[in-house]
Amino acid sequence: MNRYVINIISVLCISYTQEISEGLIVYTPYNAADSTDIATYITDENLNIINSWEHEYAPASMAYLMKDSTIWYPSKVPYPIMSSGGVGGRIQHLDWNNNILWDYRLSNDSLQHHHDIEILPNGNILLLAWERKSLEDALMMGRDVIETPLQQMWSEAIFEIEPIGTDSANIVWEWHLWDHLVQDIDPSLDNYGEIHEHPELLDINLGVVGFGPAVDNADWIHFNSIHYNHDLNQIILSSRMMSEIYIIDHSTTTEEAASHSGGNSGRGGDFLYRWGNPGNYMRGTNHTQILNSQHSVDWIDSGYPGEGNILIFNNFHYGQNSAVIEISPPIQPDGSYAIEEEFPFGPYGWEWMYYNNNNLTALFQSGAFRLENGNTFITEAHEARMFEVTLDGEIVCNYTIGTLNEIINRAQKYPSNYLYPYILGDINSDEIVNILDIITIVNLIINNEPYNLVADSNSDYTIDILDIINFINIILD
């Protein structure tokens, strides 16, 4: 299935093509005023459409492309009981031809998926969820005031789920923020403590309960992105409401994740690291706060410039202007993070920043990812704009898509060879290219069957006589 109808206002790539990263761009534009006609596109670096997937509902964050050419798509559900910015509720797995392989929902009276997901190397999925807590729950944990008329709090949870069948899942691991709170209001409660002595815990009396101008939600933390580091077996999270990022240990059992000990870190599910707003744990002031309503926190991949550093899209870096910042966390050889007594976690500045007060102002969502050549691929959500910048801050490619009210929450650019982990030409998966594969390719062409990545010898996203000739030459050689 291919859709070739898309509004493209401008695609401008400057002539220094050696600085532009070749690759596959995956993005899902949608109209904030009209939730119909939604599709995820995969294109080349010039926005030539290679394939697309149609969706029933708008994205909660972004689609993720897998090496087997499938995508994972977190999206909204109609009429969720718990609703705020970034509400989701549904995760779909779709093949190249838009067939739904798996369709799962987490949307009920007590739990509501929102924003992001992360696909783990073992095929499991990490997903973010609001977790409803009553007024009594909040008071028993030392919350002083609940601002929303709902008189409840939506805390945060992470679930690692193993897909089962076509629409089910097993929960194999979970983490709940509610297990890692501290307060200095009521000494009679178990979680009482001095806030500045516990950077590993979150002060339950931080922030306002209720996100945005609406009064019908109890969104409190508003996690908006999640990313996994396989080498460290750690998870990084971004909280818009707290203007802070957090790292937790994923090596724990579920029981350890609910405690303050266990796992590789020996810290259970407590924060291993936090950054961006040290005033949250009383080791900083407004002058030391760097993050403000940030989104899209992720580690830079191994082998990429800045590998192991953290990339953050900071929505309100200076006033209403946004920035992308790269920081080098104070990680130690054992995977822990250095912090001095009475001081906040470092660093106190950034390794790299893209900032242009005339060029980047993102009010919500948005994101940034480092590319293999050192460039950074940035999405400005409310402008439906994607662009690529060098480490020197030069824009080498700029894409503006859509019309009024068009949005792209986040987009990602993958290496051009990302979809080729197989033996090219081995259509029948017997680990050899021979005449049987040639016959199969001929039948693909004659019967006008769906595109097959393994049959595309010259990477032109078309299966034709040129591919047959190439594979014949491979066999003859």
Side-chain angles (χ1 to χ4, degrees):
M1 186 278 301
N2 287 283
R3 284 178 38 152
Y4 294 98
V5 179
I6 184 171
N7 295 315
I8 303 178
I9 293 179
S10 67
V11 178
L12 174 63
C13 297
I14 65 173
S15 60
Y16 307 117
T17 54
Q18 70 274 14
E19 294 189 38
I20 300 171
S21 174
E22 293 184 353
L24 305 170
I25 301 172
V26 176
Y27 59 97
T28 309
Y30 66 99
N31 193 301
D34 181 6
S35 60
T36 61
D37 196 28
I38 298 165
T40 293
Y41 299 90
I42 179 170
T43 74
D44 64 16
E45 63 274 8
N46 295 310
L47 283 198
N48 296 309
I49 296 175
I50 298 166
N51 195 38
S52 63
W53 296 263
E54 294 181 347
H55 307 298
E56 189 176 2
Y57 298 106
S61 57
M62 61 184 292
Y64 291 92
L65 179 67
M66 299 290 104
K67 284 182 173 293
D68 63 0
S69 80
T70 64
I71 65 166
W72 292 89
Y73 180 71
S75 71
K76 304 177 187 298
V77 293
Y79 313 114
I81 297 174
M82 304 166 68
S83 183
S84 182
V87 65
R90 187 180 192 182
I91 301 103
Q92 289 185 319
H93 189 199
L94 300 101
D95 70 12
W96 185 263
N97 299 308
N98 209 55
N99 297 308
I100 299 174
L101 305 176
W102 185 74
D103 192 343
Y104 178 78
R105 298 189 183 214
L106 181 63
S107 180
N108 54 51
D109 186 60
S110 58
L111 294 169
Q112 172 67 51
H113 160 258
H114 64 94
H115 286 92
D116 209 6
I117 61 172
E118 173 78 347
I119 312 303
L120 299 179
N122 64 3
N124 291 348
I125 306 162
L126 295 175
L127 58 86
L128 298 173
W130 289 310
E131 185 172 35
R132 188 191 302 273
K133 298 295 180 180
S134 68
L135 173 61
E136 182 180 4
D137 292 333
L139 294 176
M140 290 299 295
M141 290 295 288
R143 177 74 186 191
D144 190 29
V145 176
I146 295 181
E147 291 80 3
T148 174
L150 294 181
Q151 289 297 284
Q152 56 187 244
M153 297 178 74
W154 298 351
S155 187
E156 296 280 357
I158 303 170
F159 295 96
E160 178 182 344
I161 60 174
E162 174 192 16
I164 301 295
T166 59
D167 60 2
S168 300
N170 289 331
I171 296 176
V172 299
W173 181 86
E174 57 190 91
W175 175 91
H176 300 265
L177 176 63
W178 208 249
D179 296 321
H180 306 282
L181 302 176
V182 65
Q183 53 85 26
D184 59 1
I185 300 296
D186 188 345
S188 70
L189 300 178
D190 291 340
N191 65 341
Y192 177 79
E194 296 292 335
I195 306 302
H196 72 279
E197 294 179 357
H198 294 282
E200 78 281 6
L201 303 174
L202 186 75
D203 180 3
I204 192 175
N205 286 300
L206 283 173
V208 174
V209 180
F211 175 72
V215 297
D216 59 350
N217 73 74
D219 190 0
W220 170 44
I221 301 297
H222 200 89
F223 284 158
N224 51 37
S225 71
I226 182 170
H227 190 229
Y228 175 72
N229 188 311
H230 178 261
D231 295 332
L232 299 174
N233 204 0
Q234 295 175 2
I235 295 168
I236 194 166
L237 303 155
S238 166
S239 166
R240 173 172 183 158
M241 302 282 271
M242 299 296 111
S243 294
E244 198 170 26
I245 62 171
Y246 309 97
I247 292 176
I248 62 172
D249 192 347
H250 179 257
S251 72
T252 57
T253 65
T254 292
E255 292 74 20
E256 290 170 337
S259 73
H260 310 293
S261 62
N264 294 339
S265 66
R267 306 281 294 276
D270 288 346
F271 299 147
L272 304 181
Y273 177 70
R274 61 197 297 179
W275 190 83
N277 192 2
N280 284 348
Y281 51 106
M282 296 187 177
R283 296 193 184 185
T285 66
N286 291 340
H287 299 292
T288 55
Q289 178 180 344
I290 295 176
L291 298 184
N292 190 345
S293 304
Q294 80 291 335
H295 289 72
S296 183
V297 60
D298 50 86
W299 277 283
I300 296 175
D301 288 342
S302 177
Y304 288 25
E307 62 177 309
N309 288 345
I310 295 169
L311 204 61
I312 308 164
F313 190 99
N314 197 19
N315 290 66
F316 301 117
H317 192 75
Y318 293 124
Q320 296 293 307
N321 296 320
S322 306
V324 176
I325 58 178
E326 174 189 340
I327 65 168
S328 179
I331 190 166
Q332 304 186 100
D334 63 355
S336 63
Y337 296 83
I339 183 172
E340 297 182 30
E341 189 173 352
E342 302 300 327
F343 286 89
F345 282 104
Y348 299 110
W350 44 82
E351 294 288 312
W352 176 85
M353 177 173 72
Y354 176 76
Y355 175 79
N356 184 327
N357 62 353
N358 296 315
N359 189 57
L360 188 59
T361 303
L363 305 179
F364 55 84
Q365 292 268 11
S366 309
F369 296 93
R370 179 61 45 83
L371 304 177
E372 191 172 11
N373 69 349
N375 291 352
T376 300
F377 192 73
I378 301 171
T379 310
E380 187 177 11
H382 75 290
E383 295 288 348
R385 175 176 175 240
M386 305 171 289
F387 62 101
E388 185 174 333
V389 300
T390 67
L391 288 173
D392 293 328
E394 181 180 15
I395 297 177
V396 293
C397 211
N398 190 80
Y399 315 91
T400 303
I401 297 172
T403 55
L404 183 65
N405 296 320
E406 200 81 5
I407 294 169
I408 299 175
N409 290 337
R410 280 188 290 161
Q412 193 163 0
K413 192 174 191 179
Y414 298 81
S416 56
N417 63 350
Y418 180 78
L419 292 177
Y420 292 91
Y422 315 106
I423 299 174
L424 277 177
D426 183 18
I427 310 300
N428 57 7
S429 303
D430 62 358
E431 299 186 357
I432 187 171
V433 179
N434 56 26
I435 189 62
L436 296 178
D437 297 298
I438 299 298
I439 293 171
T440 303
I441 295 173
V442 170
N443 287 329
L444 288 177
I445 297 172
I446 291 174
N447 297 323
N448 195 29
E449 294 187 20
Y451 174 76
N452 189 313
L453 290 167
V454 185
D456 188 6
S457 66
N458 54 8
S459 302
D460 64 356
Y461 301 102
T462 302
I463 310 303
D464 55 22
I465 188 64
L466 296 178
D467 297 297
I468 295 175
I469 294 171
N470 288 339
F471 288 127
I472 289 174
N473 287 332
I474 289 174
I475 295 171
L476 295 177
D477 289 342

